[in-house]
Short mmCIF file of all heavy atoms in Angstrom, two decimals:
data_model
loop_
_atom_site.label_atom_id
_atom_site.label_comp_id
_atom_site.label_asym_id
_atom_site.label_seq_id
_atom_site.Cartn_x
_atom_site.Cartn_y
_atom_site.Cartn_z
N GLU A 1409 279.81 78.26 42.92
CA GLU A 1409 280.38 78.56 44.23
C GLU A 1409 279.82 79.88 44.76
O GLU A 1409 279.48 79.99 45.95
CB GLU A 1409 281.90 78.63 44.13
CG GLU A 1409 282.58 77.30 43.91
CD GLU A 1409 284.08 77.41 43.70
OE1 GLU A 1409 284.56 78.56 43.52
OE2 GLU A 1409 284.75 76.37 43.69
N GLY A 1410 279.72 80.88 43.89
CA GLY A 1410 279.18 82.18 44.31
C GLY A 1410 277.72 82.11 44.71
O GLY A 1410 277.30 82.72 45.69
N ILE A 1411 276.92 81.36 43.95
CA ILE A 1411 275.49 81.23 44.28
C ILE A 1411 275.32 80.50 45.61
O ILE A 1411 274.51 80.90 46.46
CB ILE A 1411 274.76 80.50 43.15
CG1 ILE A 1411 274.75 81.36 41.88
CG2 ILE A 1411 273.32 80.16 43.55
CD1 ILE A 1411 274.26 80.63 40.65
N LEU A 1412 276.07 79.43 45.83
CA LEU A 1412 275.97 78.70 47.10
C LEU A 1412 276.41 79.57 48.26
O LEU A 1412 275.77 79.56 49.33
CB LEU A 1412 276.84 77.43 47.03
CG LEU A 1412 276.31 76.30 46.15
CD1 LEU A 1412 277.36 75.21 46.00
CD2 LEU A 1412 275.02 75.72 46.73
N ARG A 1413 277.46 80.34 48.08
CA ARG A 1413 277.91 81.22 49.16
C ARG A 1413 276.87 82.29 49.47
O ARG A 1413 276.58 82.58 50.64
CB ARG A 1413 279.24 81.87 48.77
CG ARG A 1413 279.89 82.68 49.91
CD ARG A 1413 281.21 83.28 49.46
NE ARG A 1413 282.14 82.26 49.02
CZ ARG A 1413 282.49 82.06 47.74
NH1 ARG A 1413 281.94 82.82 46.77
NH2 ARG A 1413 283.33 81.12 47.41
N ALA A 1414 276.29 82.88 48.42
CA ALA A 1414 275.28 83.93 48.64
C ALA A 1414 274.02 83.37 49.29
O ALA A 1414 273.35 84.07 50.06
CB ALA A 1414 274.94 84.60 47.31
N SER A 1415 273.68 82.12 48.99
CA SER A 1415 272.43 81.53 49.48
C SER A 1415 272.57 80.91 50.86
O SER A 1415 271.60 80.83 51.60
CB SER A 1415 271.94 80.46 48.50
OG SER A 1415 271.68 81.01 47.24
N THR A 1416 273.78 80.46 51.21
CA THR A 1416 273.95 79.73 52.47
C THR A 1416 274.93 80.38 53.43
O THR A 1416 274.95 80.03 54.61
CB THR A 1416 274.46 78.30 52.20
OG1 THR A 1416 275.81 78.36 51.69
CG2 THR A 1416 273.57 77.60 51.17
N GLY A 1417 275.76 81.30 52.94
CA GLY A 1417 276.79 81.89 53.77
C GLY A 1417 278.00 80.98 53.95
O GLY A 1417 278.90 81.30 54.72
N ARG A 1418 278.04 79.88 53.23
CA ARG A 1418 279.14 78.93 53.36
C ARG A 1418 279.89 78.82 52.04
O ARG A 1418 279.30 78.81 50.96
CB ARG A 1418 278.62 77.55 53.76
CG ARG A 1418 277.94 77.51 55.12
CD ARG A 1418 277.65 76.07 55.54
NE ARG A 1418 277.10 76.03 56.88
CZ ARG A 1418 275.80 76.03 57.16
NH1 ARG A 1418 274.93 76.03 56.18
NH2 ARG A 1418 275.38 76.01 58.41
N GLY A 1419 281.19 78.68 52.17
CA GLY A 1419 282.01 78.50 50.99
C GLY A 1419 282.22 77.03 50.66
O GLY A 1419 282.32 76.20 51.56
N VAL A 1420 282.26 76.71 49.38
CA VAL A 1420 282.56 75.35 48.93
C VAL A 1420 283.65 75.42 47.88
O VAL A 1420 283.89 76.47 47.26
CB VAL A 1420 281.32 74.64 48.35
CG1 VAL A 1420 280.21 74.54 49.38
CG2 VAL A 1420 280.84 75.34 47.09
N GLN A 1421 284.34 74.30 47.70
CA GLN A 1421 285.30 74.15 46.61
C GLN A 1421 284.72 73.16 45.62
O GLN A 1421 284.56 71.98 45.92
CB GLN A 1421 286.64 73.64 47.15
CG GLN A 1421 287.29 74.54 48.18
CD GLN A 1421 288.51 73.87 48.80
OE1 GLN A 1421 289.14 73.01 48.19
NE2 GLN A 1421 288.81 74.24 50.03
N LEU A 1422 284.37 73.66 44.47
CA LEU A 1422 283.70 72.84 43.46
C LEU A 1422 284.70 72.43 42.40
O LEU A 1422 285.31 73.28 41.73
CB LEU A 1422 282.54 73.61 42.84
CG LEU A 1422 281.63 72.85 41.90
CD1 LEU A 1422 280.93 71.71 42.61
CD2 LEU A 1422 280.60 73.80 41.30
N HIS A 1423 284.90 71.14 42.23
CA HIS A 1423 285.83 70.61 41.25
C HIS A 1423 285.00 69.92 40.16
O HIS A 1423 284.41 68.86 40.39
CB HIS A 1423 286.79 69.64 41.91
CG HIS A 1423 287.50 70.24 43.09
ND1 HIS A 1423 288.59 71.06 42.97
CD2 HIS A 1423 287.24 70.16 44.43
CE1 HIS A 1423 288.99 71.46 44.16
NE2 HIS A 1423 288.19 70.93 45.06
N PHE A 1424 284.98 70.52 38.97
CA PHE A 1424 284.00 70.16 37.95
C PHE A 1424 284.68 69.71 36.67
O PHE A 1424 285.58 70.38 36.16
CB PHE A 1424 283.10 71.38 37.68
CG PHE A 1424 282.11 71.21 36.57
CD1 PHE A 1424 281.36 70.05 36.45
CD2 PHE A 1424 281.92 72.22 35.65
CE1 PHE A 1424 280.44 69.89 35.43
CE2 PHE A 1424 281.00 72.09 34.63
CZ PHE A 1424 280.26 70.92 34.51
N VAL A 1425 284.22 68.57 36.14
CA VAL A 1425 284.72 68.06 34.86
C VAL A 1425 283.52 67.84 33.93
O VAL A 1425 282.75 66.89 34.12
CB VAL A 1425 285.49 66.74 35.03
CG1 VAL A 1425 285.97 66.23 33.67
CG2 VAL A 1425 286.68 66.93 35.97
N PRO A 1426 283.32 68.70 32.93
CA PRO A 1426 282.25 68.49 31.95
C PRO A 1426 282.71 67.61 30.81
O PRO A 1426 283.89 67.60 30.44
CB PRO A 1426 281.94 69.91 31.46
CG PRO A 1426 283.24 70.63 31.61
CD PRO A 1426 283.99 70.00 32.76
N THR A 1427 281.78 66.88 30.22
CA THR A 1427 282.07 65.97 29.12
C THR A 1427 281.02 66.13 28.03
O THR A 1427 279.83 66.25 28.33
CB THR A 1427 282.09 64.50 29.61
OG1 THR A 1427 283.13 64.35 30.58
CG2 THR A 1427 282.32 63.53 28.48
N SER A 1428 281.46 66.15 26.78
CA SER A 1428 280.54 66.19 25.63
C SER A 1428 280.03 64.78 25.35
O SER A 1428 280.82 63.84 25.24
CB SER A 1428 281.27 66.73 24.40
OG SER A 1428 281.62 68.08 24.57
N GLY A 1429 278.73 64.66 25.25
CA GLY A 1429 278.12 63.36 24.99
C GLY A 1429 277.58 63.26 23.57
O GLY A 1429 277.34 64.27 22.91
N PRO A 1430 277.34 62.05 23.09
CA PRO A 1430 276.89 61.83 21.71
C PRO A 1430 275.38 61.88 21.55
O PRO A 1430 274.78 61.03 20.90
CB PRO A 1430 277.44 60.43 21.40
CG PRO A 1430 277.38 59.73 22.72
CD PRO A 1430 277.68 60.78 23.77
N PHE A 1431 274.74 62.85 22.16
CA PHE A 1431 273.30 63.03 22.04
C PHE A 1431 273.00 64.51 21.97
O PHE A 1431 273.87 65.35 22.26
CB PHE A 1431 272.56 62.37 23.22
CG PHE A 1431 273.15 62.69 24.57
CD1 PHE A 1431 272.74 63.79 25.29
CD2 PHE A 1431 274.13 61.87 25.12
CE1 PHE A 1431 273.28 64.09 26.54
CE2 PHE A 1431 274.68 62.14 26.37
CZ PHE A 1431 274.26 63.26 27.08
N ALA A 1432 271.79 64.89 21.57
CA ALA A 1432 271.48 66.29 21.30
C ALA A 1432 271.13 67.07 22.56
O ALA A 1432 271.53 68.22 22.71
CB ALA A 1432 270.33 66.38 20.29
N ARG A 1433 270.35 66.48 23.45
CA ARG A 1433 269.89 67.26 24.60
C ARG A 1433 269.86 66.41 25.85
O ARG A 1433 269.66 65.20 25.81
CB ARG A 1433 268.52 67.88 24.32
CG ARG A 1433 267.44 66.91 23.93
CD ARG A 1433 266.23 67.64 23.35
NE ARG A 1433 265.60 68.52 24.31
CZ ARG A 1433 264.70 69.47 23.97
NH1 ARG A 1433 264.38 69.66 22.71
NH2 ARG A 1433 264.16 70.23 24.88
N GLY A 1434 270.05 67.09 26.97
CA GLY A 1434 270.07 66.42 28.26
C GLY A 1434 271.40 66.57 28.96
O GLY A 1434 272.44 66.82 28.32
N ILE A 1435 271.39 66.46 30.29
CA ILE A 1435 272.59 66.46 31.12
C ILE A 1435 272.48 65.31 32.10
O ILE A 1435 271.44 65.16 32.77
CB ILE A 1435 272.79 67.79 31.88
CG1 ILE A 1435 273.24 68.89 30.92
CG2 ILE A 1435 273.80 67.64 33.01
CD1 ILE A 1435 273.36 70.25 31.58
N TYR A 1436 273.52 64.52 32.19
CA TYR A 1436 273.60 63.48 33.21
C TYR A 1436 274.80 63.80 34.09
O TYR A 1436 275.92 63.92 33.61
CB TYR A 1436 273.76 62.09 32.60
CG TYR A 1436 273.36 61.00 33.57
CD1 TYR A 1436 272.04 60.58 33.65
CD2 TYR A 1436 274.29 60.43 34.43
CE1 TYR A 1436 271.66 59.60 34.55
CE2 TYR A 1436 273.93 59.44 35.33
CZ TYR A 1436 272.61 59.03 35.38
OH TYR A 1436 272.23 58.07 36.27
N MET A 1437 274.55 63.95 35.38
CA MET A 1437 275.54 64.49 36.31
C MET A 1437 275.69 63.60 37.53
O MET A 1437 274.71 63.00 38.00
CB MET A 1437 275.10 65.90 36.74
CG MET A 1437 276.01 66.61 37.72
SD MET A 1437 275.44 68.30 38.03
CE MET A 1437 275.79 69.06 36.44
N VAL A 1438 276.91 63.54 38.05
CA VAL A 1438 277.18 62.84 39.30
C VAL A 1438 277.97 63.78 40.21
O VAL A 1438 279.02 64.30 39.81
CB VAL A 1438 277.97 61.54 39.09
CG1 VAL A 1438 278.15 60.82 40.43
CG2 VAL A 1438 277.27 60.63 38.09
N LEU A 1439 277.46 64.02 41.41
CA LEU A 1439 278.17 64.78 42.43
C LEU A 1439 278.67 63.82 43.50
O LEU A 1439 277.89 63.00 44.02
CB LEU A 1439 277.25 65.84 43.06
CG LEU A 1439 277.84 66.70 44.19
CD1 LEU A 1439 277.25 68.10 44.16
CD2 LEU A 1439 277.60 66.08 45.57
N HIS A 1440 279.95 63.89 43.82
CA HIS A 1440 280.55 63.08 44.87
C HIS A 1440 280.92 63.99 46.04
O HIS A 1440 281.45 65.09 45.83
CB HIS A 1440 281.83 62.38 44.39
CG HIS A 1440 281.62 61.45 43.24
ND1 HIS A 1440 281.35 60.11 43.41
CD2 HIS A 1440 281.64 61.66 41.91
CE1 HIS A 1440 281.22 59.53 42.22
NE2 HIS A 1440 281.39 60.46 41.29
N ALA A 1441 280.66 63.53 47.26
CA ALA A 1441 281.03 64.30 48.45
C ALA A 1441 281.36 63.34 49.59
O ALA A 1441 280.85 62.21 49.63
CB ALA A 1441 279.90 65.24 48.86
N ARG A 1442 282.18 63.81 50.51
CA ARG A 1442 282.54 63.05 51.70
C ARG A 1442 281.65 63.49 52.85
O ARG A 1442 281.60 64.68 53.17
CB ARG A 1442 284.01 63.27 52.05
CG ARG A 1442 284.56 62.33 53.12
CD ARG A 1442 284.65 60.93 52.59
NE ARG A 1442 285.15 60.00 53.62
CZ ARG A 1442 285.19 58.69 53.48
NH1 ARG A 1442 284.74 58.14 52.35
NH2 ARG A 1442 285.65 57.92 54.42
N LEU A 1443 280.92 62.54 53.43
CA LEU A 1443 280.04 62.87 54.55
C LEU A 1443 280.86 63.22 55.79
O LEU A 1443 281.92 62.63 56.05
CB LEU A 1443 279.11 61.70 54.87
CG LEU A 1443 278.14 61.27 53.76
CD1 LEU A 1443 277.34 60.06 54.21
CD2 LEU A 1443 277.23 62.41 53.35
N LEU A 1444 280.38 64.17 56.55
CA LEU A 1444 281.02 64.52 57.82
C LEU A 1444 280.71 63.46 58.86
O LEU A 1444 279.75 62.68 58.74
CB LEU A 1444 280.53 65.89 58.29
CG LEU A 1444 280.88 67.07 57.37
CD1 LEU A 1444 280.29 68.36 57.93
CD2 LEU A 1444 282.39 67.20 57.18
N ASP A 1445 281.52 63.42 59.90
CA ASP A 1445 281.32 62.45 60.98
C ASP A 1445 279.92 62.59 61.57
O ASP A 1445 279.44 63.71 61.80
CB ASP A 1445 282.36 62.65 62.08
CG ASP A 1445 283.77 62.28 61.63
OD1 ASP A 1445 283.88 61.56 60.62
OD2 ASP A 1445 284.73 62.72 62.29
N GLY A 1446 279.25 61.47 61.80
CA GLY A 1446 277.92 61.48 62.39
C GLY A 1446 276.80 61.57 61.39
O GLY A 1446 275.62 61.49 61.75
N VAL A 1447 277.13 61.74 60.11
CA VAL A 1447 276.11 61.84 59.06
C VAL A 1447 276.01 60.49 58.36
O VAL A 1447 277.01 59.89 57.97
CB VAL A 1447 276.46 62.94 58.04
CG1 VAL A 1447 275.41 63.00 56.94
CG2 VAL A 1447 276.59 64.28 58.73
N ASP A 1448 274.78 60.00 58.21
CA ASP A 1448 274.59 58.72 57.52
C ASP A 1448 273.55 58.86 56.43
O ASP A 1448 273.05 59.96 56.15
CB ASP A 1448 274.21 57.62 58.52
CG ASP A 1448 272.92 57.91 59.29
OD1 ASP A 1448 272.08 58.70 58.77
OD2 ASP A 1448 272.74 57.36 60.38
N ALA A 1449 273.20 57.75 55.81
CA ALA A 1449 272.29 57.76 54.66
C ALA A 1449 270.92 58.32 55.03
O ALA A 1449 270.29 59.00 54.20
CB ALA A 1449 272.16 56.36 54.08
#
Side-chain angles (χ1 to χ4, degrees):
E1409 289 175 350
I1411 293 170
L1412 288 171
R1413 187 179 302 108
S1415 299
T1416 68
R1418 297 189 175 94
V1420 301
Q1421 300 172 26
L1422 187 62
H1423 306 280
F1424 175 44
V1425 179
T1427 298
S1428 294
F1431 47 89
R1433 56 194 297 165
I1435 287 176
Y1436 200 88
M1437 179 175 291
V1438 183
L1439 178 147
H1440 299 269
R1442 191 69 182 172
L1443 298 178
L1444 297 178
D1445 291 342
V1447 179
D1448 59 24

